[in-house]
Amino acid sequence: MPKQDYFTVNAGYEYKHALHELFWSVGASYSHNNSNMINNLTIKDGKYYISSISSNDNKSEQWSAKANISKGWFDINTKASCAVQFDKIDKVNMTNSELIGYKVNQLSLQPKIIFSPKWAEIEYSGDIKYSKTVQKESKDESHNLVNWVQNITLTKTFGNVDGKFNISHYRNDLYSGEKSYFTLADASIILRLSKVRLSASVKNIFNKKEYSYTMNQGNILSTSRYNLRPREWSISIQWNL
């Protein structure tokens, strides 16, 4: 009979000072899981098969800590924020009927800045992730991944015309040891009239063909590759009755 015991505890604190436009929070959590069933991943002829079998060794625990801070400066029309999170995971997986214990350390950082002068709005955001996976049976073998994306968006209004330009730069570690760099850009313009709304946009300005990245899936690292749509133009007309 399937059985699962789960224990978790959370703690956190929030601070808000609207007058100074300052907000921050911190939090931590711990969870422990004990189950008498486990999913067995079998790889055969290039295909993946998952089945649930009985096991008394399916135990896992996770420690997490996170912090968030946001600050605004009304005089210079600027707002900045940053979120950081750290996770420490200790689990077991079963592959081809073999139990594999592993540990994962993950760190993520998400900065963001919005600058809104009278003439435009500029927004920067980033998402930086680091992970390290170590199998307990072979402590000398570890896999480190550093993946990040950085975005810059410019929004400008000329009377009844709105223009927007966005550029994103990706940097990913691949399982093969190579690094993947990728830049994607889009632009759009909107003309607002009394009853008519005209829109024109272009996506994938640099006409990129392929995007690839590697991610952790338990004790398995998998690399995904995507074929992208070519540069694409579009025009639309919206009529309001």
Side-chain angles (χ1 to χ4, degrees), residues 63 91-92 113-114 131 146 151 164 173 191 201:
W63 297 85
K91 295 187 69 174
V92 293
I113 301 175
I114 301 176
S131 66
V146 178
N151 306 285
K164 186 175 182 179
D173 283 338
L191 173 63
S201 65

Side-chain angles (χ1 to χ4, degrees), residues 17-172:
H17 199 306
L19 185 61
H20 292 165
E21 297 183 76
L22 176 63
F23 308 88
W24 61 267
S25 64
V26 293
S29 64
Y30 170 78
S31 62
H32 181 86
N33 183 66
N34 188 8
S35 175
N36 63 354
M37 300 293 292
I38 192 169
N39 289 331
N40 179 33
L41 173 64
T42 304
I43 305 174
K44 185 178 180 180
D45 299 327
K47 296 182 179 179
Y48 292 79
Y49 302 91
I50 298 178
S51 58
S52 295
I53 64 175
S54 177
S55 173
N56 292 323
D57 296 318
N58 187 11
K59 300 178 181 179
S60 66
E61 64 177 5
Q62 177 173 343
W63 297 85
S64 298
K66 61 182 180 180
N68 224 312
I69 186 169
S70 173
K71 178 72 173 78
W73 294 270
F74 179 79
D75 294 341
I76 57 175
N77 304 304
T78 302
K79 181 179 180 180
S81 64
C82 187
V84 61
Q85 180 166 335
F86 175 76
D87 297 298
K88 185 177 182 65
I89 304 169
D90 190 340
K91 295 187 69 174
V92 293
N93 272 356
M94 180 171 284
T95 303
N96 295 327
S97 300
E98 179 183 356
L99 279 174
I100 300 175
Y102 65 94
K103 293 183 178 181
V104 180
N105 291 332
Q106 297 177 331
L107 179 66
S108 66
L109 184 68
Q110 296 177 315
K112 185 175 182 179
I113 301 175
I114 301 176
F115 178 51
S116 305
K118 294 181 179 180
W119 50 272
E121 179 179 280
I122 303 172
E123 178 179 323
Y124 163 81
S125 63
D127 190 356
I128 305 166
K129 290 183 170 63
Y130 166 80
S131 66
K132 179 180 180 179
T133 304
V134 179
Q135 290 190 11
K136 296 179 181 179
E137 290 75 10
S138 54
K139 295 183 178 180
D140 294 335
E141 181 181 353
S142 64
H143 300 286
N144 301 323
L145 293 177
V146 178
N147 298 331
W148 53 253
V149 56
Q150 299 187 77
N151 306 285
I152 295 179
T153 301
L154 172 64
T155 304
K156 171 68 176 176
T157 299
F158 305 87
N160 60 342
V161 178
D162 300 324
K164 186 175 182 179
F165 176 77
N166 179 81
I167 186 168
S168 302
H169 182 65
Y170 299 79
R171 185 270 192 197
N172 298 318

Side-chain angles (χ1 to χ4, degrees), residues 196-215:
V196 179
R197 180 187 174 101
L198 304 176
S199 304
S201 65
V202 54
K203 297 182 178 180
N204 193 5
I205 293 175
F206 302 132
N207 203 27
K208 296 295 184 177
K209 306 295 185 182
E210 185 183 79
Y211 172 64
S212 57
Y213 69 95
T214 295
M215 64 180 296

